[in-house]
Amino acid sequence: GSFWVSYLLNGIAADDKTGDVIVSGYEFDANGTSLPAWPTDDGNWLGTVGVAAKIGYACMTRSGVNIASCYVVGQNAATIKSVPIGIQPWALTMVQPASELDAIVYSRGDTKLWRVSVPDMTVRGSVALTGIAPVTSNPGPVGGWQVASGSLGKTAAVLSTPDEQLVFVDIAT
């Protein structure tokens, strides 16, 4: 079925554990029922840009305050954990190449790909991408940057439509 969603800003993801859909940080089940309470605000609220979900966790980027945040899917008033990351973190994906769940986040202001351990939100490192120009002014909530990974979680692909570039990064190490 379909249902009206008033929250759609920039991101949508489906959690492979619960089946819930996350739309710009708000959760819905397959019937369109919204989770009763937004995850507990961590004091850093400013528009969600990208979202991703995997094995019961949802993560989002909040580029206006340069953070990535994650929380437990399906938990009423879940606690958000955040970490400062890059300049204008924008797009992300989630991977689990072994036992550790990670968020792979692209920050468009410094053209870096960041690896963050979920749920403890420890930054595991970053790599600068070549062939992609940093965004020096805020073009607003436009698309243009996407991150994807395969089911094995060993490689990430970063698409920059403004630069007409597709960059592959080995994230297994």
Side-chain angles (χ1 to χ4, degrees):
S2 65
F3 51 91
W4 181 73
V5 178
S6 64
Y7 309 115
L8 185 59
L9 295 174
N10 289 307
I12 184 170
D15 179 43
D16 58 357
K17 180 179 179 183
T18 65
D20 287 356
V21 173
I22 293 83
V23 179
S24 295
Y26 294 90
E27 285 181 51
F28 298 89
D29 66 16
N31 298 315
T33 304
S34 178
L35 192 66
W38 166 260
T40 303
D41 187 6
D42 61 358
N44 292 307
W45 173 248
L46 184 64
T48 299
V49 179
V51 296
K54 192 169 188 72
I55 65 165
Y57 289 93
C59 295
M60 57 191 149
T61 58
R62 297 190 265 175
S63 68
V65 288
N66 296 325
I67 60 174
S69 305
C70 298
Y71 64 94
V72 176
V73 174
Q75 187 178 75
N76 194 25
T79 299
I80 294 176
K81 292 183 180 179
S82 299
V83 64
I85 191 163
I87 301 168
Q88 293 186 16
W90 199 259
L92 74 159
T93 189
M94 294 176 75
V95 299
Q96 190 177 23
S99 61
E100 181 178 296
L101 179 63
D102 293 321
I104 307 299
V105 181
Y106 172 68
S107 57
R108 65 186 191 165
D110 59 6
T111 67
K112 288 185 178 179
L113 198 62
W114 297 82
R115 184 184 199 116
V116 178
S117 176
V118 177
D120 67 352
M121 301 307 287
T122 302
V123 175
R124 300 287 188 211
S126 66
V127 61
L129 303 180
T130 58
I132 298 177
V135 174
T136 56
S137 63
N138 191 350
V142 297
W145 302 273
Q146 298 178 37
V147 180
S149 63
S151 61
L152 297 178
K154 296 181 179 184
T155 303
V158 178
L159 174 65
S160 174
T161 54
D163 298 295
E164 300 178 346
Q165 293 291 310
L166 179 60
V167 180
F168 290 94
V169 179
D170 177 2
I171 58 172
T173 56

